[in-house]
Amino acid sequence: MFTSVLMIERPLTATDVEFVTTLHGEEPVSFIVLLQPRGDQADLLLRAIDDVAMGELGEAVREGGEPEGAEARQPAELGLVHSVNALRAAGAEAVGQVVENHPIDKMKTVVDESGADEVIVLTAPHYVEEFFHRDWASRARHKVGVPVLKLFAHSE
């Protein structure tokens, strides 16, 4: 069975689930989903700049309203349950956990402990971080020891 560590920042959409579960054709896939709430990531200003760059001015204005810390925990846990259940419904094995701090360190630990074959980073575009190679995928490529695939999440 092929094992992927799947790093996300929001619950998976139906399109995301189909996308990641069909990446390896008919080969059975197991996912270890790591979800870090968007409000617990990066700098508020960087998130707002990303929204403006994507033409989502309304999102830029709402960035300050993203829950952070303990306030983000319950929505993150619900999003994780939704995502894991959606992967299972699509025929994949899946488990997951909410990541509160140091997502790259957590990725490395999970890859090492599980013997994962790859890491998939599935997030909205983060243009500023990507330009400076500070996004999760760029940083993970230098740390986790397995291939890292960067995919853009879909919205519904």
Side-chain angles (χ1 to χ4, degrees), residues 46-99:
L46 290 179
R47 294 193 326 248
I49 291 170
D50 282 336
D51 291 334
V52 170
M54 292 177 52
E56 297 176 357
L57 300 177
E59 287 295 317
V61 171
R62 287 190 285 277
E63 282 295 350
E66 286 281 346
E68 296 181 15
E71 201 177 292
R73 182 73 189 195
Q74 184 180 13
E77 288 175 355
L78 292 173
L80 180 64
V81 168
H82 164 80
S83 298
V84 167
N85 287 340
L87 290 166
R88 289 176 180 165
E93 290 184 13
V95 296
Q97 58 187 285
V98 173
V99 177

Side-chain angles (χ1 to χ4, degrees), residues 71-130:
E71 201 177 292
R73 182 73 189 195
Q74 184 180 13
E77 288 175 355
L78 292 173
L80 180 64
V81 168
H82 164 80
S83 298
V84 167
N85 287 340
L87 290 166
R88 289 176 180 165
E93 290 184 13
V95 296
Q97 58 187 285
V98 173
V99 177
E100 294 181 19
N101 298 305
H102 311 293
I104 307 304
D105 293 341
K106 185 62 175 181
M107 262 189 248
K108 171 75 172 144
T109 300
V110 170
V111 166
D112 290 347
E113 290 175 356
S114 68
D117 299 293
E118 70 180 356
V119 169
I120 301 171
V121 176
L122 182 71
T123 64
H126 297 290
Y127 296 116
V128 175
E129 290 179 10
E130 289 169 20

Side-chain angles (χ1 to χ4, degrees), residues 32-49:
I32 303 168
V33 182
L34 303 177
L35 185 149
Q36 184 178 42
R38 185 167 162 91
D40 284 352
Q41 305 165 27
D43 182 281
L44 176 64
L45 178 60
L46 290 179
R47 294 193 326 248
I49 291 170

